[in-house]
Amino acid sequence: MLTVKDLHVSYGHIQALEGVSLEVPEGKIISIIGSNGAGKTTLLNTISGIVKQKAGTIEFEGQTLTRAAHQVVKLGLVHVPEGRKIFSGLTVKENLYAGAFIAKDKAKVEENIEKMYKMYPILEKRQNQHAGTLSGGEQQMLAICRGLMSEPKMILLDEPSLGLAPIIVQGVFELIKQISAQGLTVMLVEQNAKKALALCDYAYVLENGKIVVQGLGKELLCDDRIKKAYLGER
Ligand code: ATP
């Protein structure tokens, strides 16, 4: 569904990505793990059109992406950024409406809001509250649900577990599993390597802007190099 070929991105003299190639098949969960500064956010920002590459190509459903970020959403690819970036001064419901900015059919938008409420009932309870008053976990769920409001085919999730308590992280991963089971293709960037590898079908390990290891999530969980470097095991 998504093919990235030989992607190079730099910020001035800093080379953030150096020849990254990867494949995200339809309906799968693909994870990108790696430490701070490895280039994970840059990779997602380049795919969604926020950052421009120096070289390399990105294809989504056979179409080369050369468009601005809002046009990428229209193709069915949505990015839920790191730090959630919800509109804290707007209500929960207004945030959901904002996610449906490309939609033309009002009835469908309402139907989708109901779907989100069903999937995560706290959002309904808090629909008229300012989103900034939600807990961190609720804000993350809202950010994902807002992304789903445009009815994407694929979702890019940047560090959805960042800063959340373990029990809440569990809920976020359950939600990802649920949306994947509904047929959505997922690209998940995570520092929580253990959870990401357990959840995903296939994973890429990014180090200093390069893919250094790749394989099935369950295989990488047992890989000695990964255990030492990313899972805190010996
Ligand atoms: P983190 O988990 O901390 O977000 P990351 O793996 O997502 O890390 P990136 O944020 O993509 O990594 O950063 C990759 C490299 O590019 C780092 O060296 C970072 O300092 C640098 N970088 C990222 N954004 C910018 C920017 N806007 N201007 C200059 N350098 C940047």
Side-chain angles (χ1 to χ4, degrees), residues 11 14 16 35-42 82 159 191:
Y11 303 101
I14 300 168
S35 43
N36 269 337
K40 305 181 298 300
T41 297
T42 299
E82 186 180 341
E159 304 264 10
Q191 274 193 54

Side-chain angles (χ1 to χ4, degrees), residues 80 83-87 92 95-96 116 120-127 129-146 160 162-165 167-169 171-172 175:
V80 179
R84 300 150 207 159
K85 308 268 183 351
I86 52 151
F87 303 114
V92 167
N95 267 273
L96 293 175
M116 298 309 145
Y120 197 59
I122 287 174
L123 295 184
E124 182 169 24
K125 235 162 99 188
R126 307 212 191 289
Q127 59 178 305
Q129 247 175 262
H130 279 159
T133 64
L134 299 182
S135 71
E138 290 162 356
Q139 289 188 16
Q140 184 58 59
M141 298 297 199
L142 173 60
I144 295 174
C145 289
R146 184 184 57 186
L162 196 69
L164 302 179
I167 179 120
I168 311 294
V169 170
V172 171
L175 180 67

Side-chain angles (χ1 to χ4, degrees), residues 18-51:
E18 292 184 60
V20 168
S21 296
L22 56 86
E23 191 78 48
V24 184
E26 189 174 352
K28 301 285 183 199
I29 303 179
I30 300 304
S31 185
I32 313 290
I33 61 168
S35 43
N36 269 337
K40 305 181 298 300
T41 297
T42 299
L43 175 60
L44 292 196
N45 284 346
T46 313
I47 293 171
S48 65
I50 298 166
V51 168

Side-chain angles (χ1 to χ4, degrees), residues 101-173:
F101 71 98
I102 60 165
K104 294 204 171 75
D105 181 347
K106 286 219 166 78
K108 188 86 186 142
V109 172
E110 296 302 325
E111 198 182 296
N112 283 336
I113 286 190
E114 289 307 316
K115 249 195 224 166
M116 298 309 145
Y117 288 165
K118 226 185 228 148
M119 196 157 67
Y120 197 59
I122 287 174
L123 295 184
E124 182 169 24
K125 235 162 99 188
R126 307 212 191 289
Q127 59 178 305
N128 296 317
Q129 247 175 262
H130 279 159
T133 64
L134 299 182
S135 71
E138 290 162 356
Q139 289 188 16
Q140 184 58 59
M141 298 297 199
L142 173 60
I144 295 174
C145 289
R146 184 184 57 186
L148 297 177
M149 284 298 296
S150 65
E151 301 188 317
K153 298 172 191 161
M154 178 172 170
I155 192 162
L156 309 171
L157 297 172
D158 196 354
E159 304 264 10
S161 77
L162 196 69
L164 302 179
I167 179 120
I168 311 294
V169 170
Q170 192 56 39
V172 171
F173 275 81

